[in-house]
Each structure stands twice: as C-alpha cells, then as structure tokens.
Amino acid sequence: MTIPKHVSVGPVTIGNDLPFVLISGPCQIESRDHALFMADALKTAAAQAGVPFVFKSSFDKANRTSVSGRRGVGIDAGLAILAEVKEALGCPVLTDVHEASQIEAAAQAVDILQIPAFLCRQTDLLVAAGRTGAVINVKKGQFLAPWDMAAVAQKVASTGNERILLTERGASFGYNTLVSDMRALPVMAQTGYPVVFDATHSVQQPGGLGSASGGQRAFAPVLARSAVAAGVAAVFAEAHDDPDNAPSDGPVMLPLAWMGPMLERLKAIDAVVKG
C-alpha cells in the first residue's frame, strides 16, 4: 500500500488522505483590484464551507489559441499582485511558469509553481522548478497516460524536492474534446504525491470556438464531485465574477455564485470517502 505524502504550504497541508483543498481563482490576472476581490471572495466561500484554500491566477497565458488572445498583465506586474494577495489575505498562492527564465522571480513571489500540461515533459523546466524548493504542481499532459506521470514527478524529485502535486485535467479525445478518466486519479495516487483534479479545464473544448477555446462549465461541478468521491487531495476550479466576459477560459470558469453550494457538496462527499 502506498503511503500518502503530505505537502505543506503556509497554513495548508495537502494529501490524498486529508480533507480536500480548493485551488481557485481567475484564469489570468486582469488587474490588482480584480485579483484581490476574487481572492477575498473565494477565501470567504472556502472558509464558510470549511475547505482549505489556495489562490490561483496566471501572470501570462502563453498558450492561447490565437496570437491575438489576451495574455495577462505580464510577469513584473503579475508577480507583484500575487505577492500582495499572499500578504493581504494570508493564503498560499499558485501561478504558472512557462520558461526557466521565469522561475527564480516567480518562486520568490508565490508558494506553488505550476507547470502547464503542454510543458509537463520539459526536463529543464521541471528540474529548474524543483531546485527552487517551492511546491511544484505539474499538470498531466492531455497526451499522457496517468502512469507516465511517475517519470515526470521523478524529474522534479531528482533535485531533492519532493514537494510535488500532480494534476489531472482530462485527455484528448478526438478533435476539440477532452474526456476525464477517473481511473487516472488512483493511478497517479500510487506515486504517493497528492493528486489534484482540474474540474474546469477538464470541460474545456480546446480551440473549439475557432480563434478561442470553448467549454461546458455546467459539467465541471459534476466532474468535481466524481473526483472527490475518488479521493483526491485537491480540486482545481477556476472562477470569475463575470465569466462570460472574461479575457480567457470564460466558457469553463465557474461563476462566484456557484462556489459556495458546490463546496458544501464536495465537503460532504469528502467526509464520507475519507471518514
């Protein structure tokens, strides 16, 4: 039997045998005021449900469908905003890194460095991230089998850093479609590392709108419930106060009003599964 590893970050401890954690925030940083508003609203919703919370937002969305897609506020402004969120609200903060040159500055500002799914096999990026000692969340590529993530995690662990999270975000299923195989969650948990389920990107339709990605946000809470029933360590669910007008991933982000009721249900399921 695999002994679950625990990863502590600030006041939050993440583990497959512990109560689930919420990782949430808007897809990209839109402004200082918006980031602080969203972080406060989500932290409040999580606290009311009794769920530990990590704030997530990206300073740069480097993998947009179109060259004209809005990418965010950039690394300098973005990291300053994330550091302020962390200081003001006292919650751990997560952001993506796309290049090794971004890692040192990002690790000084945030608690968790996230490796995007498309980059999960980039050895130099994984090793550079691991060497910071920060928590590293690696999203499973849509093109990988879940058992392939053991080798991905080993690249980070080779630096001596085992503060690793592994995230499932669906697998490519034909064109412009993803499917979530819940068997992936216990398979990745066999590594011992905490497993995260990305409920919102799992309902994405990559490139489905031609010049942008589509999605079916209504199914994200359904998949989140399934993942919590499977015993995940954390649920990743992007949220927004006005998702239909968001600059990126609007079709999959959850309205703020959905978060409280969803978390209450997930909390109840988690309590049954983990006893």
Side-chain angles (χ1 to χ4, degrees):
M1 181 177 177
T2 302
I3 299 175
K5 303 176 188 290
H6 292 170
V7 174
S8 294
V9 51
V12 175
T13 301
I14 307 171
N16 295 322
D17 59 339
L18 299 177
F20 86 97
V21 172
L22 172 68
I23 302 172
S24 186
C27 177
Q28 65 175 251
I29 300 169
E30 298 172 29
S31 70
R32 170 187 176 274
D33 289 347
H34 186 256
L36 287 165
F37 165 76
M38 288 298 303
D40 183 64
L42 289 166
K43 181 182 178 182
T44 298
Q48 289 174 345
V51 175
F53 172 63
V54 174
F55 180 71
K56 177 271 166 187
S57 201
S58 300
F59 58 80
D60 179 21
K61 298 301 295 183
N63 57 352
R64 302 303 308 276
T65 301
S66 170
V67 70
S68 62
R70 291 168 60 185
R71 291 179 51 166
V73 299
I75 187 168
D76 293 335
L79 292 180
I81 290 168
L82 291 170
E84 185 174 356
V85 168
K86 177 180 175 180
E87 177 68 22
L89 296 179
C91 59
V93 174
L94 175 154
T95 200
D96 301 282
V97 289
H98 296 89
E99 302 174 3
S101 62
Q102 299 173 337
I103 286 174
E104 184 176 353
Q108 293 177 9
V110 305
D111 303 282
I112 304 175
L113 301 178
Q114 181 166 277
I115 308 298
F118 290 129
L119 302 177
C120 70
R121 292 186 64 174
Q122 296 298 107
T123 301
D124 291 346
L125 184 65
L126 292 164
V127 170
R131 285 175 176 158
T132 67
V135 176
I136 310 301
N137 180 36
V138 188
K139 288 197 170 185
K140 180 179 76 63
Q142 301 92 322
F143 44 85
L144 286 186
W147 44 85
D148 293 333
M149 288 300 285
V152 171
Q154 183 54 41
K155 292 181 180 182
V156 179
S158 70
T159 67
N161 181 0
E162 292 203 77
R163 304 177 73 205
I164 300 168
L165 312 176
L166 301 177
T167 295
E168 165 63 23
R169 49 104 1 114
S172 294
F173 188 73
Y175 298 127
N176 305 124
T177 304
L178 300 172
V179 65
S180 293
D181 180 358
M182 292 299 162
R183 295 175 299 179
L185 304 175
V187 169
M188 291 198 293
Q190 290 173 7
T191 64
Y193 296 114
V195 174
V196 182
F197 181 72
D198 183 343
T200 46
H201 287 102
S202 290
V203 297
Q204 189 182 65
Q205 295 168 320
L209 299 180
S211 62
S213 291
Q216 298 175 303
R217 77 165 67 98
F219 291 110
V222 178
L223 293 181
R225 294 196 296 272
S226 299
V228 170
V232 292
V235 170
F236 182 112
E238 290 184 337
H240 200 280
D241 55 321
D242 186 14
D244 290 334
N245 292 300
S248 60
D249 272 353
V252 302
M253 283 196 288
L254 305 182
L256 270 176
W258 291 18
M259 297 303 293
M262 183 183 79
L263 289 173
E264 293 287 352
R265 287 188 175 189
L266 297 182
K267 177 78 171 178
I269 294 169
D270 193 59
V272 171
V273 171
K274 295 175 182 171

